[in-house]
Amino acid sequence: METTLIVVLALIVAIIASAIRVLREYERGVIFQLGRFYKVKGPGLILVIPIIQQMVRTDLRTVTMDVPSQDVISKDNVSVSVNAVIYFRVVDPERAVINVEDYFAATSQLAQTTLRSVLGQHELDELLAERDKLNEDIQNILDSQTDAWGIKVSNVEIKHVDIDESMIRAIAQQAEAERSRRAKIIHAEGERQASEQLTAAANILSRNPQALQLRYLQTLSNIAGEQNSTIIFPLPLEMMNAFNRMAAAFDDSDDRSGDSSDEQR
């Protein structure tokens, strides 16, 4: 009789012990009662009736998942290898357990196909220069499609874009040609601006001849500071103008004398 009582007590204690579950703060338990969904419990201490109820434990923390390297053909027919990382978490344990068999594997497969589909719609230059936009596009697509599974995709980051060596050389040549084109344009623009400034300076000097003589003196001052040049001081402009007037007057007098001699004849 005592043995039977001990066995019964031990059985009751075992049943109670198996019914007690402890869930951490980041865990939830999806309870099924006789095969049908009952409720979501946790965190803390919960009771699960043996045989009648079953519990599926779900982690609510953010999961970091590496997307394996995918071979992608870009819109301009360039073959590249791209891999990425996805951050997601379970926001609805009920749908994550009931609506999909394995939400982790399903999200991984969906991320791989979405990565190939989205990147294949863009050219190589966009893959290299517009990663933020591409990350946002992939994240929005994944988030909308995994919403039925109770999954929230919070972020997507493209990690590496691997290009063939021949394509790397072609890109380097293209970049070099682009730099050369920009240099020529900048040089031509500088020449145009310099010619405009020289034209403006010439117009100013033509309106005031004394300014040109001041420029002569400033140039001589700069040359004298080097102390290694022979300086030939230019003639003042007034003296040159006086010589010009004298030459013109002499020519006029010769013309008048010639005309008078012709009339005498």
Side-chain angles (χ1 to χ4, degrees):
M1 186 66 181
E2 293 180 358
T3 303
T4 304
L5 183 60
I6 293 173
V7 172
V8 172
L9 291 175
L11 183 60
I12 293 173
V13 171
I15 292 174
I16 295 174
S18 63
I20 297 175
R21 305 292 177 84
V22 177
L23 298 179
R24 298 180 180 88
E25 182 65 31
Y26 54 83
E27 292 179 330
R28 298 294 184 272
V30 180
I31 307 300
F32 292 91
Q33 183 169 296
L34 297 178
R36 298 177 62 87
F37 172 75
Y38 177 60
K39 67 186 327 183
V40 177
K41 291 185 178 182
L45 180 66
I46 64 173
L47 295 177
V48 178
I49 301 174
I51 301 174
I52 298 177
Q53 293 181 341
Q54 298 82 34
M55 185 189 74
V56 179
R57 194 184 300 263
T58 306
D59 195 326
L60 302 184
R61 291 178 294 181
T62 298
V63 179
T64 303
M65 181 179 66
D66 282 329
V67 179
S69 182
Q70 303 294 311
D71 293 330
V72 179
I73 298 179
S74 63
K75 189 176 181 180
D76 51 350
N77 296 324
V78 178
S79 179
V80 296
S81 181
V82 184
N83 61 351
V85 59
I86 296 178
Y87 301 89
F88 68 94
R89 62 187 179 90
V90 177
V91 294
D92 190 340
E94 177 185 351
R95 287 187 293 175
V97 172
I98 296 176
N99 293 353
V100 63
E101 180 181 1
D102 185 350
Y103 67 84
F104 189 90
T107 304
S108 176
Q109 294 298 321
L110 180 62
Q112 295 177 38
T113 56
T114 303
L115 185 67
R116 291 195 299 269
S117 176
V118 172
L119 298 186
Q121 301 175 4
H122 298 271
E123 297 183 356
L124 179 61
D125 292 341
E126 296 177 353
L127 299 183
L128 299 177
E130 300 182 2
R131 289 195 182 186
D132 292 339
K133 180 179 180 299
L134 296 176
N135 292 337
E136 184 178 357
D137 292 342
I138 297 172
Q139 186 262 331
N140 291 333
I141 294 174
L142 290 177
D143 191 30
S144 62
Q145 296 188 3
T146 57
D147 184 65
W149 303 340
I151 304 297
K152 172 64 178 178
V153 179
S154 58
N155 195 15
V156 176
E157 292 291 339
I158 297 175
K159 294 197 299 184
H160 298 293
V161 179
D162 297 328
I163 309 173
D164 187 74
E165 290 293 334
S166 60
M167 184 55 61
I168 293 177
R169 291 193 295 270
I171 293 175
Q173 293 176 356
Q174 179 183 0
E176 184 178 357
E178 178 66 19
R179 293 292 181 182
S180 178
R181 182 184 69 86
R182 292 181 183 179
K184 291 179 180 179
I185 293 175
I186 293 173
H187 180 72
E189 180 66 19
E191 291 292 337
R192 185 185 66 81
Q193 294 179 1
S195 63
E196 291 178 353
Q197 296 297 326
L198 290 174
T199 302
N203 292 333
I204 294 174
L205 293 175
S206 63
R207 291 195 298 268
N208 192 354
Q210 287 78 13
L212 182 60
Q213 186 173 1
L214 293 176
R215 285 295 298 160
Y216 281 156
L217 297 176
Q218 184 178 3
T219 303
L220 290 174
S221 177
N222 294 334
I223 296 174
E226 299 178 2
Q227 297 180 357
N228 57 359
S229 302
T230 302
I231 302 174
I232 299 176
F233 198 89
L235 293 175
L237 294 179
E238 290 79 1
M239 185 178 295
M240 297 296 297
N241 293 332
F243 286 149
N244 291 332
R245 289 194 295 270
M246 292 175 61
F250 182 75
D251 292 337
D252 292 339
S253 63
D254 289 342
D255 292 338
R256 286 195 297 270
S257 62
D259 294 337
S260 62
S261 60
D262 292 338
E263 291 176 356
Q264 291 176 359
R265 291 178 182 175

